[in-house]
Amino acid sequence: MCGIVGAVAERPVNKILVEGLKRLEYRGYDSAGVALLDGNTLNTVKAVGKVVNLENALDEAGVKGTTGIAHTRWATHGGVTKANAHPHISNSEIALVHNGIIENHASLREALKGDGYEFLSDTDTEVMVHLIHQLRQQHTTLLASVQAAVKQFDGAFGTVVFDKANDNEIIVARSGSPLVIGLGLGENFIASDQLALLPVTRTFIYLEEGDVARITRNSVEIFDVDGNAVKREVIESNITQDASGKGEYRHYMLKEIYEQPLAVRNTLEGRLNDDRVAIDAFGDSAQQIFKDVKHVQIIACGTSYHSGMVARYWLEQFAGVSCNVEIASEFRYRQSFVHENSLLVTISQSGETADTLAALRLAKQQGYMASMTICNVPGSSLVRESDLAFMTKAGAEIGVASTKAFTTQLVGLLMLTASIAQEKGLDQGTIVNAIKLLPAKLEETLLLADGIADLAEEFADKHHSLFLGRGSQYPIAMEGALKLKEISYIHAEAYAAGELKHGPLALIDADMPIIVVAPNNELLEKLKSNVEEVRARGGIIYVFADKDSHFESDDTMRVINVNHVDDVIAPVVYTLPLQLLSYYVAVIKGTDVDQPRNLAKSVTVE
Ligand code: F6R
């Protein structure tokens, strides 16, 4: 989603800003812009499309500056146009970029128009810059003007502002949309994600909700929501820079699919002692909470929601606790029932997903015994606002379609299941012994890539597809369908195979490929009957099956054999062939694999 980079320095910052935006490209966007201050001269350059268009426009304009703010926009209010791209400017004096949504923009716009402000865009953001300009006439400093303005904004924002009268100052404010300050020597930076700033610094300060900060070349002053000066923790980033390079791979998504054995290994490292899970991987107070917990409520969105759905099977089967799983955008807008001794678990790659964060904040007022997040980004909002956190160690995930974050979430959820079982005196050894084998099993499964690439040819001209699974493989079928639709744009639906005859069978014909996930477990015979129902109606079937499942390839069925794995880890293992299938279909179709149309990586607006 939208990205922000800003700098206040002695040296020209054009290249730093453009490089920062490029490093945020993975988040998804449709236009970009930059405002630069060269002394007291303010220049703005914008372009629709990729950051490289902005880079070319900047070169052509020949402008530079030592203070600047830059933005990639993912359209919410107003179409994809240069006029709607940020930065927005008020009266040729104040420049502003914004991530998030100002919900009361319509009333603010009317009031500002009444006061003579002229609007040049259709965005909700433009009201911010005009309001700050108006308040600037009443306050002696830009800081005070921004502090006064933020009190009038309803909604979410991470915003960065400067006034052309002072090229040694940018003011930043955070409410609902993350911002991180990067500290340099005689220069300082701001960004919506530390990845943007890794070429210039590794020392960061995360702003907290309600913070407003004044950043100059040599100082950073932070004020909390009540205007009190506060100190926030300074952290050293341990993200490796090459995480944002593709290496030998054609796409980030492929690289990230292949990184899964290592990502799982890293997620397990130091967290298993013999056949037990080291419970402190979840946080200091986890042990008592796991002893007392009777119910788990999981909340997440998209792919992360699918990992939660798998966990429901595990938690109820192995840990003896009941479990509900709900999409965050539904949970946050309904009155739900809080069970006794209920643990709230959010799952998120980014830790910044607006709906998941809002659901956590709501749940914290509802009487859960504790909140826990399973998350991939240290220091993210979900991690900071939850009582317990289990960090997946997938490393930076750049491809918009989530892959290694999903499999490491599953590992975290298996470890949660084993930990609760352990504290309740139930068998956890089966899970732990199976998890230890996972990295090697994933490596073996990746060897199927060539066969899957061949299979993908058969999907390239298809418009619809159906994914089937049973038990804990049903959410894996859902995840497979999501991957295929988001990167290849082929319509894909997933069904619990037993549901077929209740409606979807009507869709079956030779143009609708059916993808079946078939490990060798107690549901195999049931699944085989479902497959026969499809065959009898002329469907073409692609089965990812355990070697011992005895499916045979023929005219209407293509079988890809997966090595046998213990059923408890099978959902993790069977995810990989489905990821590879989506990837190769997308490559054949020539879509933008890493940045599929209309999608954003970190969904920081609701
Ligand atoms: C799909 C995908 C999304 C995310 C969803 C939640 O490949 O990546 O469905 O899973 O937007 O994001 P996080 O996990 O960051 O909360």
Side-chain angles (χ1 to χ4, degrees):
M1 211 142 256
C2 304
I4 288 177
V5 191
V8 49
E10 297 279 2
R11 54 175 168 155
V13 294
N14 302 31
K15 285 200 168 6
I16 296 172
L17 298 182
V18 169
E19 171 62 19
L21 290 186
K22 283 186 177 167
R23 297 169 75 89
L24 297 181
E25 282 193 294
Y26 75 95
R27 296 166 70 100
Y29 68 101
D30 40 52
S31 54
V34 57
L36 289 160
L37 259 186
D38 187 8
N40 294 125
T41 306
L42 167 61
N43 283 303
T44 308
V45 179
K46 301 181 184 184
V48 167
K50 298 282 180 192
V51 173
V52 70
N53 300 348
L54 174 69
E55 193 173 22
N56 294 338
L58 259 173
D59 286 349
E60 218 165 276
V63 294
K64 60 180 173 49
T66 55
T67 294
I69 55 180
H71 190 261
T72 43
R73 172 174 188 255
W74 187 81
T76 57
H77 295 65
V80 180
T81 62
K82 247 166 133 170
N84 287 336
H86 303 201
H88 292 287
I89 311 291
S90 186
N91 287 272
S92 310
E93 287 172 3
I94 294 184
L96 174 144
V97 291
H98 163 225
N99 285 0
I101 290 177
I102 301 300
E103 286 169 0
N104 58 338
H105 67 98
S107 56
L108 289 172
R109 180 182 273 254
E110 281 319 301
L112 287 159
K113 272 187 176 168
D115 293 337
Y117 281 91
E118 193 193 344
F119 280 78
L120 303 177
S121 78
D122 306 318
T123 63
D124 55 323
T125 299
E126 199 179 349
V127 300
M128 301 175 81
V129 71
H130 292 315
L131 183 63
I132 291 168
H133 180 271
Q134 188 175 58
L135 291 165
R136 186 77 185 91
Q137 318 312 311
Q138 300 158 25
H139 294 271
T140 49
T141 62
L142 181 62
L143 172 69
S145 318
V146 173
Q147 282 172 316
V150 296
K151 293 199 172 75
Q152 297 193 38
F153 300 144
D154 293 339
F157 53 86
T159 189
V160 184
V161 192
F162 68 65
D163 182 335
K164 80 168 187 179
N166 184 357
D167 75 343
N168 185 22
E169 176 183 81
I170 53 179
I171 306 295
V172 307
R174 174 198 165 137
S175 181
S177 202
L179 283 177
V180 61
I181 298 172
L183 302 177
L185 281 178
E187 56 189 17
N188 287 311
F189 308 94
I190 186 80
S192 48
D193 183 329
Q194 55 168 273
L195 269 187
L197 300 177
L198 288 179
V200 285
T201 183
R202 307 192 69 79
T203 311
F204 294 101
I205 300 175
Y206 276 94
L207 291 181
E208 295 194 2
E209 281 299 286
D211 283 354
V212 178
R214 175 174 183 268
I215 303 173
T216 71
R217 292 182 194 109
N218 291 306
S219 66
V220 170
E221 298 163 86
I222 305 176
F223 304 89
D224 68 11
V225 71
D226 300 317
N228 304 311
V230 284
K231 291 251 174 286
R232 301 287 182 223
E233 192 186 357
V234 178
I235 59 155
E236 288 298 319
S237 172
N238 54 11
I239 296 183
T240 48
Q241 280 211 40
D242 60 357
S244 51
K246 282 195 282 246
E248 71 199 73
Y249 295 94
R250 182 163 166 198
H251 294 101
Y252 282 109
M253 183 179 176
L254 189 63
K255 174 175 177 246
E256 289 161 3
I257 289 173
Y258 275 87
E259 279 172 351
Q260 289 176 107
L262 178 64
V264 168
R265 212 170 264 131
N266 289 343
T267 301
L268 294 175
E269 194 173 289
R271 289 162 162 183
L272 298 178
N273 303 324
D274 299 324
D275 68 346
R276 294 177 76 80
V277 175
I279 291 186
D280 57 5
F282 294 88
D284 292 342
S285 50
Q287 188 155 21
Q288 191 57 47
I289 291 168
F290 292 172
K291 259 194 179 72
D292 296 339
V293 65
K294 291 188 178 150
H295 178 78
V296 176
Q297 171 67 56
I298 296 179
I299 299 169
C301 303
T303 287
S304 299
Y305 168 71
H306 295 154
S307 71
M309 284 190 68
V310 177
R312 184 161 70 100
Y313 290 87
W314 288 332
L315 284 162
E316 297 203 343
Q317 181 179 352
F318 298 106
V321 290
S322 58
C323 176
N324 285 344
V325 190
E326 191 160 352
I327 293 167
S329 56
E330 287 299 312
F331 178 88
R332 65 180 287 196
Y333 289 118
R334 74 177 185 93
Q335 274 200 308
S336 55
F337 180 82
V338 183
H339 295 257
E340 196 192 342
N341 284 17
S342 191
L343 171 67
L344 183 94
V345 176
T346 57
I347 308 173
S348 174
Q349 188 286 127
S350 62
E352 302 293 351
T353 301
D355 282 319
T356 312
L357 195 51
L360 167 68
R361 288 177 184 156
L362 173 76
K364 283 173 84 168
Q365 299 156 17
Q366 291 181 331
Y368 284 88
M369 66 188 293
S371 59
M372 183 181 117
T373 190
I374 295 189
C375 186
N376 195 40
V377 179
S380 60
S381 301
L382 282 173
V383 171
R384 281 185 285 115
E385 296 186 30
S386 301
D387 302 320
L388 304 176
F390 178 92
M391 299 312 305
T392 50
K393 303 273 179 75
E397 191 179 65
I398 306 291
V400 163
S402 193
T403 51
K404 59 180 181 168
F406 177 69
T407 39
T408 52
Q409 284 167 356
L410 290 175
V411 169
L413 289 159
L414 266 176
M415 290 173 79
L416 175 67
T417 305
S419 304
I420 296 178
Q422 204 164 288
E423 289 313 307
K424 294 194 178 296
L426 301 170
D427 168 44
Q428 85 292 338
T430 313
I431 301 179
V432 174
N433 291 331
I435 308 183
K436 285 182 188 161
L437 301 177
L438 247 180
K441 292 290 173 194
L442 295 179
E443 257 153 31
E444 275 173 21
T445 310
L446 287 170
L447 298 175
L448 299 174
D450 288 348
I452 295 172
D454 288 348
L455 200 73
E457 302 279 350
E458 297 181 27
F459 283 72
D461 64 338
K462 298 289 188 276
H463 298 290
H464 305 278
S465 60
L466 218 52
F467 284 68
L468 303 179
R470 293 192 81 126
S472 58
Q473 296 290 354
Y474 166 44
I476 298 306
M478 293 172 80
E479 173 59 8
L482 178 63
K483 286 288 92 84
L484 188 68
K485 72 183 112 177
E486 67 180 330
I487 62 166
S488 76
Y489 315 152
I490 293 176
H491 174 220
E493 294 298 329
Y495 276 92
E499 268 292 290
L500 269 188
K501 55 176 88 62
H502 300 291
L505 263 186
L507 294 170
I508 306 296
D509 63 21
D511 277 334
M512 168 82 99
I514 316 291
I515 299 97
V516 183
V517 192
N520 188 5
N521 61 21
E522 77 280 1
L523 293 171
L524 181 62
E525 291 312 316
K526 303 264 172 227
L527 187 67
K528 281 186 164 170
S529 307
N530 302 136
V531 168
E532 286 313 315
E533 289 160 9
V534 172
R535 254 144 89 88
R537 285 155 184 87
I540 307 293
I541 298 158
Y542 300 85
V543 195
F544 293 93
D546 189 293
K547 275 197 168 128
D548 302 328
S549 295
H550 304 297
F551 282 98
E552 299 293 338
S553 289
D554 60 24
D555 288 353
T556 58
M557 177 154 15
R558 293 280 304 269
V559 182
I560 297 272
N561 280 319
V562 179
N563 279 350
H564 178 74
V565 291
D566 190 301
D567 204 41
V568 71
I569 55 167
V572 193
V573 171
Y574 279 77
T575 298
L576 271 54
L578 301 187
Q579 293 170 343
L580 286 165
L581 177 66
S582 305
Y583 174 77
Y584 288 117
V585 174
V587 169
I588 292 165
K589 292 197 71 182
T591 58
D592 190 344
V593 172
D594 286 330
Q595 289 167 40
R597 67 185 181 200
N598 306 337
L599 297 181
K601 182 68 184 164
S602 182
V603 184
T604 49
V605 295
E606 100 166 89

